[in-house]
Amino acid sequence: MPSASTTASMPVVVGAEPSDSFDSSVSAGSSGASAAAAPADTRLSPSSPAFRRMSLALFAAGMAAFALLYSTQALLPAISADLGVSAAQASWTVSAATGALALFVLPLSALSERFGRRTLMTYSLVVAVGVALLVPLAPNVGWLIALRAVQGAALAGLPASAMAYLAEEVRPKALIAAIGLFVAGNSIGGMSGRIVTGWVAQLWGWRAALASVALMALVCAVLFRLLLPRARNFRPGTLNPRVLAKTVGGHLSDPLLRRLYAIGALFMTVFGAVYTVIGYRLVEAPFNLPQGVVGSIFLVYLVGTLSSAGAGRLVARTGRRGALYLAGSTTAAGLLLSLSDSLAGVLAGLVLITAGFFAGHAVASSSVSHTAKSGRAQASALYQSAYYLGSSAGGTLGAMAFHAGGWSATVTLGLLAVAGVAGITLYGTRCARAQRRGSLVVANS
């Protein structure tokens, strides 16, 4: 597995796998990458103490990132009531953060090629936590949105750098599992942040709720810095804009990577729309739930923790595209079930949506790291950019749909996005089959 850091100062060579598929088994693709890598004994294996420290450190980082990034999402009804703004206006406190992350993730990933993954992740968390301590003091919605945008831009240094760090420091056979644990940290952070803010907001208001999340993220940032092992396989490159542009262009010209980017964006469109709007639905009739109970609804994120951590086993059984089909159909079933006027039906729908989303995200993001043979930080950054643009679009469009046509309109938006995932995956299946038939013709000629 070539070091991703070296690609900032060298031409990039990017190509899909021979079958344009991740299905042929992770181990087969990984063994070829291992031959060109640094000595295998320098990379971490699941049995080593350093691997466990790294997993816990990145779990904490992922937890802090998601808790901060979506800290206002469960509070949107309270923010709307206190500041006198509509659901669509309040949703920008989420969309501004995710949109800024999407815009800054690529340039910050380039900085990680020069200064190191560990260093950039540390600075990202420090700045994001610092801004989080200021967010509760915002005097109006304009300042709140602006501070949230700065926070999102700071967090942009974390996700792509984490993926590149894992690709460089973890043995290939353990890569999907390691990324799954990082994504699991995302789900725990998203869940705990929303639960804490819900109950704190009910007792002391939404500003105190945001302060509590900032303190929780501070603890996670300290743990991250203390636990994360120093990089063994990072080699700094130069910040060359032309080489960076060539690397990015190479990734965008890869049809498999383009499909994975689109899949990540569409999955996150569903997730952003559902979880931005669900609070408004549950505080209204026929549910009329208090803010603390609405925050506790996010306990369903535990399902996402399990589904993302189990993504490696799912791919081993069904293949990458099979796992994506399963994730998409699970998400669609959850959307339809959430139309129920029964609270139990809505909760069951959220469970399925969350399980499908996190499984699909873990499969798509790990496939990006596997497919990109060089420039992995940029490949992951492009995925994260598409992913968070989907979140920003989903949050805003979901709120607009809810304002225009209620929950059914938001569900319709989600189903359209899931149909897009299915269509892209089906197209990839047909391309892979055609490529295999072509390979057989050449082999038999």
Side-chain angles (χ1 to χ4, degrees):
M1 183 183 297
S3 173
S5 59
T6 62
T7 59
S9 56
M10 63 182 288
V12 61
V13 180
V14 178
E17 300 169 65
S19 63
D20 194 22
S21 169
F22 190 48
D23 295 352
S24 56
S25 88
V26 176
S27 59
S30 300
S31 61
S34 299
D41 61 344
T42 67
R43 289 179 291 182
L44 302 177
S45 65
S47 61
S48 67
F51 183 93
R52 292 189 287 272
R53 285 178 53 216
M54 176 214 69
S55 297
L56 182 57
L58 288 178
F59 184 92
M63 183 173 173
F66 247 51
L68 291 176
L69 191 63
Y70 293 100
S71 58
T72 62
Q73 196 171 60
L75 303 173
L76 293 179
I79 292 172
S80 290
D82 185 49
L83 299 181
V85 296
S86 67
Q89 288 174 302
S91 73
W92 277 103
T93 64
V94 179
S95 296
T98 54
L101 190 154
L103 292 175
F104 280 86
V105 67
L106 185 58
L108 289 185
S109 75
L111 291 181
S112 81
E113 300 281 10
R114 178 66 182 87
F115 299 107
R117 324 299 186 194
R118 190 170 181 262
T119 298
L120 191 65
M121 287 189 284
T122 299
Y123 278 110
S124 291
L125 282 175
V126 167
V127 174
V129 170
V131 175
L133 295 172
L134 297 176
V135 166
L137 305 177
N140 53 51
V141 72
W143 273 102
L144 182 58
I145 291 171
L147 287 171
R148 293 281 293 145
V150 174
Q151 194 173 50
L155 287 171
L158 183 65
S161 297
M163 296 296 182
Y165 177 92
L166 288 170
E168 293 167 352
E169 303 300 326
V170 174
R171 293 187 182 182
K173 290 183 179 180
L175 181 59
I176 291 181
I179 290 177
L181 286 171
F182 176 65
V183 174
N186 294 169
S187 67
I188 290 289
M191 178 196 71
S192 58
R194 289 164 170 90
I195 292 173
V196 168
T197 55
W199 285 107
V200 173
Q202 184 170 319
L203 295 172
W204 297 294
W206 63 270
R207 294 180 187 275
L210 291 178
S212 67
V213 171
L215 294 176
M216 183 179 71
L218 176 61
V219 173
C220 288
V222 172
L223 285 174
F224 164 80
R225 184 61 183 181
L226 292 176
L227 291 173
L228 189 69
R230 292 187 178 276
R232 299 179 180 183
N233 299 300
F234 173 73
R235 299 294 181 270
T238 59
L239 294 176
N240 187 322
R242 284 195 297 179
V243 172
L244 176 62
K246 187 174 182 180
T247 302
V248 171
H251 292 326
L252 291 177
S253 67
D254 186 306
L256 177 54
L257 285 176
R258 287 201 305 269
R259 292 198 293 273
L260 291 171
Y261 296 152
I263 287 170
L266 289 168
F267 265 125
M268 197 53 163
T269 298
V270 180
F271 200 68
V274 166
Y275 278 100
T276 295
V277 172
I278 191 63
Y280 288 99
R281 187 184 185 208
L282 294 178
V283 298
E284 296 177 351
F287 307 108
N288 299 312
L289 298 181
Q291 184 68 55
V293 176
V294 170
S296 297
I297 295 297
F298 291 91
L299 276 168
V300 298
Y301 264 50
L302 287 172
V303 177
T305 304
L306 296 174
S307 66
S308 58
R313 292 190 298 273
L314 182 62
V315 169
R317 291 182 178 182
T318 67
R320 176 180 56 81
R321 288 188 294 272
L324 290 174
Y325 284 130
L326 183 59
S329 60
T330 301
T331 304
L335 286 167
L336 293 172
L337 192 55
S338 73
L339 291 168
S340 171
D341 285 335
S342 160
L343 182 59
V346 173
L347 290 178
L350 290 176
V351 166
L352 293 178
I353 292 167
T354 304
F357 161 73
F358 274 104
H361 168 44
V363 171
S365 60
S366 60
S367 296
V368 168
S369 296
H370 178 84
T371 301
K373 302 306 180 186
S374 58
R376 284 190 174 90
Q378 285 74 44
S380 293
L382 287 168
Y383 176 83
Q384 296 292 331
S385 182
Y387 175 79
Y388 286 110
L389 281 174
S391 175
S392 184
T396 301
L397 294 175
M400 292 172 63
F402 183 75
H403 179 74
W407 181 251
S408 60
T410 302
V411 167
T412 299
L413 173 68
L415 290 173
L416 289 173
V418 172
V421 170
I424 292 169
T425 307
L426 179 60
Y427 177 77
T429 301
R430 290 177 175 176
C431 288
R433 287 174 179 171
Q435 190 170 3
R436 282 196 293 269
R437 285 196 297 269
S439 299
L440 288 173
V441 169
V442 171
N444 294 328
S445 62

